[in-house]
Amino acid sequence: MLIDVEYKAAIELLMKEKIATKPTFIINAISSESVEAVLRSVAMPKIKIGDRSGIKIKYVVEKVKDEEVKGEVSQLELMLQKSVDSKDKIIIAKDGDTINIDFLGKVDGIKFEGGESKGFDLKLGSKSFIDGFESQVEGMKIGEEKNIKVIFPEQYPEKKLANKEAIFTVKLNAIKEIINLEGDELKEKLKSFGFNSKEEIVLRIKKVIADKKIKEADDKYFREYIDAIIALKDTKITLPEEILSQEIEDEFKRIEAQILQQGMNMKDYFKMLGMSADEFKKNTLKESSIKRVSDGLIYSQLIEEFKIKATEKDFTAEYERIAKDSKSNIEEVKKQVNMSSAESNILYKKLINLIK
């Protein structure tokens, strides 16, 4: 019991310091009267950020394009319709048809988030999917399964997928005849979304797209700003081997969990890649881990340098924004949104506004 008390006290003392690795408890000696132990961790490395006064980066927010709104409105229209089996017994999909599909997308043989769905309704020609996807579905017959090859655009928001080739396995379940909802049925459907008219939803769509473009502009500016800091001659970042090793191992475990979740074992995965686990860590994970840790250290130092804090007023405004955007009750938002996540968003936005 005494050991437990002393251990907790040591942990509390250590956590007051700026540490970069998880504490390790090492027992040096044990006797009938005492236990000699050491609680060890690696201190957060001190970095030197060079003179940033010469950094000039253009902050650009792309305009909302009509075709982007049109694509989203097409999806909206699908939700304000009901489908019935086609009276014409259409068996081949063509441009303009609304179809129901199952699809599973993979990049380098691995599933990715958002790349799988069953019973998905899609209007061919709506350009809701990556270029080339819908045109390859055209001509498919009901019940047919087909592999479709596409390439994610260079400016794709999820950077891990940008410029990557993906293969989607698509099954055409049905070709549907769509009937627009009218009268009370339409009003009830709109009400379930929290809106009174289709026009309100269109305005909401435009705002969501505009907000997304601001977020993309913020992220792009931040990445370029951090890269510019790292490129400065007088910026000095030295990463202790323990920190880098822990980051590589943490990333490796995340990838391993993802691979296992997809039903593949690591042995087969590395065989497919043509390298060992150690080679994968060294050749694939090391460089990205160095970049990720360096970026994090610079970010933390900038937050400290600018003395950025999240106030109670900031939290309230963040919760109110989320509640308004999601048409939710603010108390429900507080229950669902992790406080640390809200704080991260607040600090990030404040930093962007200060450096741009």
Side-chain angles (χ1 to χ4, degrees):
M1 184 65 180
L2 182 59
I3 293 176
D4 189 43
V5 171
E6 293 295 334
Y7 175 73
K8 288 181 179 178
I11 284 285
E12 289 176 3
L13 181 62
L14 188 62
M15 294 307 288
K16 290 179 181 179
E17 303 297 326
K18 292 183 178 180
I19 60 173
T21 59
K22 300 169 185 175
T24 303
F25 191 64
I26 304 170
I27 297 177
N28 289 337
I30 301 177
S31 70
S32 59
E33 297 180 352
S34 65
V35 175
E36 181 183 318
V38 175
L39 195 60
R40 184 178 182 277
S41 182
V42 177
M44 188 71 74
K46 293 182 179 180
I47 66 172
K48 179 189 175 186
I49 293 179
D51 180 9
R52 308 193 310 273
S53 60
I55 295 178
K56 304 294 180 185
I57 297 170
K58 195 172 182 180
Y59 180 82
V60 180
V61 179
E62 292 185 3
K63 293 182 179 179
V64 177
K65 298 175 183 176
D66 290 341
E67 53 264 34
E68 291 176 304
V69 177
K70 184 179 178 182
E72 293 295 329
V73 170
S74 294
Q75 291 300 314
L76 162 66
E77 289 173 345
L78 290 177
M79 294 187 288
L80 299 179
Q81 298 169 336
K82 61 182 178 181
S83 60
V84 296
D85 292 339
S86 175
K87 295 177 181 179
D88 296 328
K89 305 292 183 183
I90 301 172
I91 59 169
I92 296 178
K94 66 181 186 303
D95 184 35
D97 283 342
T98 295
I99 61 173
N100 182 275
I101 57 174
D102 298 338
F103 63 85
L104 171 62
K106 293 183 179 181
V107 171
D108 296 330
I110 302 174
K111 294 191 293 185
F112 54 89
E113 187 176 351
E116 180 179 13
S117 183
K118 289 186 179 294
F120 186 87
D121 286 343
L122 170 67
K123 184 175 182 179
L124 295 179
S126 65
K127 297 183 179 179
S128 303
F129 276 55
I130 304 167
D131 284 350
F133 183 95
E134 294 174 34
S135 61
Q136 293 182 70
V137 173
E138 291 176 22
M140 287 181 66
K141 297 179 180 179
I142 294 174
E144 182 182 351
E145 189 172 291
K146 179 180 179 181
N147 285 334
I148 289 175
K149 188 183 294 184
V150 295
I151 296 177
F152 283 96
E154 185 177 354
Q155 299 301 322
Y156 195 70
E158 181 55 62
K159 296 305 175 185
K160 291 182 180 179
L161 299 177
N163 264 340
K164 288 280 190 177
E165 181 181 273
I167 296 177
F168 284 85
T169 300
V170 180
K171 182 182 178 183
L172 179 58
N173 299 320
I175 300 173
K176 300 185 174 186
E177 182 178 0
I178 301 300
I179 299 175
N180 293 327
L181 297 178
E182 296 178 346
D184 292 341
E185 201 172 6
L186 175 60
K187 289 180 181 179
E188 192 65 30
K189 191 69 172 180
L190 288 169
K191 187 178 178 181
S192 70
F193 296 148
F195 296 95
N196 296 313
S197 68
K198 290 174 67 174
E199 289 73 23
E200 277 188 30
I201 302 182
V202 172
L203 289 174
R204 174 70 189 138
I205 287 172
K206 289 181 178 179
K207 184 181 184 304
V208 168
I209 296 174
D211 288 347
K212 181 181 177 183
K213 288 186 178 293
I214 291 172
K215 178 67 167 60
E216 289 172 355
D218 285 350
D219 292 346
K220 183 175 184 293
Y221 185 91
F222 178 73
R223 287 194 305 271
E224 292 180 0
Y225 190 82
I226 294 294
D227 288 344
I229 287 176
I230 292 174
L232 293 171
K233 290 182 179 180
D234 46 350
T235 291
K236 304 295 179 186
I237 302 174
T238 303
L239 301 181
E241 189 59 37
E242 293 95 331
I243 294 177
L244 184 56
S245 295
Q246 181 173 301
E247 180 65 25
I248 291 173
E249 286 302 321
D250 288 346
E251 180 63 15
F252 184 84
K253 288 176 182 177
R254 284 192 288 268
I255 293 173
E256 183 179 32
Q258 185 181 16
I259 297 298
L260 294 175
Q261 191 176 26
Q262 294 176 17
M264 184 185 295
N265 62 58
M266 295 303 287
K267 183 178 179 180
D268 290 340
Y269 178 65
F270 289 125
K271 185 178 180 180
M272 182 182 72
L273 294 179
M275 65 177 74
S276 67
D278 288 339
E279 288 172 333
F280 178 70
K281 291 176 183 179
K282 181 180 178 181
N283 300 333
T284 304
L285 299 185
K286 186 173 182 178
E287 185 176 344
S288 60
S289 294
I290 290 173
K291 181 70 170 67
R292 195 160 47 249
V293 174
S294 298
D295 289 356
L297 290 172
I298 293 172
Y299 174 77
S300 296
Q301 185 149 320
L302 289 174
I303 292 291
E304 186 174 331
E305 180 183 322
F306 284 111
K307 296 181 172 58
I308 301 174
K309 303 286 184 182
T311 65
E312 190 65 35
K313 185 177 180 181
D314 292 326
F315 278 108
T316 299
E318 180 71 3
Y319 290 136
E320 287 177 347
R321 179 191 66 79
I322 296 171
K324 183 179 179 181
D325 287 349
S326 60
K327 296 279 183 180
S328 303
N329 180 283
I330 192 167
E331 294 305 320
E332 286 300 314
V333 169
K334 287 180 179 180
K335 292 177 184 177
Q336 295 172 9
V337 177
N338 186 287
M339 192 170 183
S340 63
S341 176
E343 182 180 28
S344 295
N345 288 337
I346 293 166
L347 298 180
Y348 181 69
K349 289 173 186 175
K350 284 189 172 185
L351 178 60
I352 292 294
N353 289 333
L354 286 168
I355 64 176
K356 72 182 181 184

